[in-house]
Amino acid sequence: MKNVNQYIDTLPVEIQKIAQEIRRIIKNEAPDCIESISYGMPAYKTFGKPLVYFAVYKNHIGLYATPSGHEQFSNELSKYKQGKGSVQFPLHSPIPFDLIQKIVAFRVKENNDKFKK
């Protein structure tokens, strides 16, 4: 997998729309981010530092916004299965795009505050 377009193109059509929307949200919130494939999934960096990753699995979408991104939204994320720095949004339920947008915006501000010279 060379790039995010290829990654998304391999997904079932109905899931491609979800992945495209997550990608759009990330690029909207972080227009200067660098997009790549890392750990086999779409990865986004600002200032050369990880911002967020996402991945599509058989039954869910995984969002990886580092532990801080998940701690900040622990109440909103409490109904979803989580790991340290990850959350799973089941594909059989509506994807909370507004929450994803808030998490990404938080991570953008966090990276800006930490790494912007």
Side-chain angles (χ1 to χ4, degrees):
M1 203 75 50
K2 286 191 172 105
N3 61 47
V4 176
N5 286 331
Q6 286 179 335
Y7 181 92
I8 291 173
D9 287 347
T10 66
L11 302 171
V13 174
E14 64 278 8
I15 307 302
Q16 286 181 20
K17 291 182 178 119
I18 295 169
Q20 288 287 15
E21 180 59 13
I22 293 170
R23 182 189 200 188
R24 188 195 66 73
I25 288 167
I26 295 166
K27 289 179 143 193
N28 230 28
E29 291 298 324
D32 299 331
C33 70
I34 302 299
E35 179 181 74
S36 66
I37 295 289
S38 185
Y39 304 105
M41 65 181 99
Y44 299 84
K45 289 183 175 183
T46 56
F47 307 102
K49 305 292 181 188
L51 183 69
V52 294
Y53 300 78
F54 75 90
V56 178
Y57 299 95
K58 184 178 178 196
N59 297 312
H60 71 275
I61 297 225
L63 182 70
Y64 307 87
T66 74
S68 62
H70 297 280
E71 289 159 9
Q72 185 68 24
F73 296 92
S74 57
N75 288 346
E76 294 98 317
L77 293 171
S78 62
K79 64 182 177 185
Y80 301 104
K81 185 174 180 182
Q82 297 180 65
K84 185 178 176 176
S86 69
V87 63
Q88 296 180 6
F89 299 118
L91 288 171
H92 61 76
S93 303
I95 302 297
F97 293 117
D98 54 335
L99 178 55
I100 292 169
Q101 184 266 323
K102 285 191 229 171
I103 292 169
V104 174
F106 170 80
R107 287 290 299 124
V108 167
K109 183 182 182 323
E110 196 172 50
N111 272 10
N112 280 343
D113 291 350
K114 225 186 244 180
F115 305 113
K116 197 172 189 176
K117 305 275 183 272

